[in-house]
Amino acid sequence: MAKTAKKQTIRGRKQDRSRVAGGQEDEVQYEARKSGRSASAVKKAVRKVGNTRKKVEKRLGR
């Protein structure tokens, strides 16, 4: 029996859940729903503090 990789991959790369892809609408919408803010506020936060999820969530929590 073959062993399978434990890390989830897309096109051969592992996904990075600790970052927010500001250019991908589904990730922006997810963060917007989660934080109760608008999609434009999420995009603005990503531009301001970078794409690290913790920093974006902290910025949106203000």
Side-chain angles (χ1 to χ4, degrees), residues 11-41:
R11 297 187 189 129
R13 298 179 304 247
K14 67 178 184 175
Q15 292 181 353
D16 194 356
R17 301 283 186 201
S18 64
R19 303 202 179 271
V20 178
Q24 291 192 1
E25 208 55 40
D26 58 330
E27 286 214 27
V28 172
Q29 289 299 323
Y30 171 78
E31 277 299 324
R33 280 193 303 271
K34 188 170 140 183
S35 65
R37 305 291 298 270
S38 67
S40 62

Side-chain angles (χ1 to χ4, degrees), residues 1-59:
M1 206 191 254
K3 290 186 178 182
T4 58
K6 291 187 178 190
K7 293 183 179 180
Q8 189 176 14
T9 59
I10 292 180
R11 297 187 189 129
R13 298 179 304 247
K14 67 178 184 175
Q15 292 181 353
D16 194 356
R17 301 283 186 201
S18 64
R19 303 202 179 271
V20 178
Q24 291 192 1
E25 208 55 40
D26 58 330
E27 286 214 27
V28 172
Q29 289 299 323
Y30 171 78
E31 277 299 324
R33 280 193 303 271
K34 188 170 140 183
S35 65
R37 305 291 298 270
S38 67
S40 62
V42 174
K43 288 182 181 181
K44 187 176 180 181
V46 170
R47 283 193 301 269
K48 187 77 172 176
V49 297
N51 65 348
T52 305
R53 191 171 298 275
K54 276 185 173 182
K55 289 180 181 179
V56 170
E57 289 173 355
K58 185 177 179 182
R59 176 84 179 177

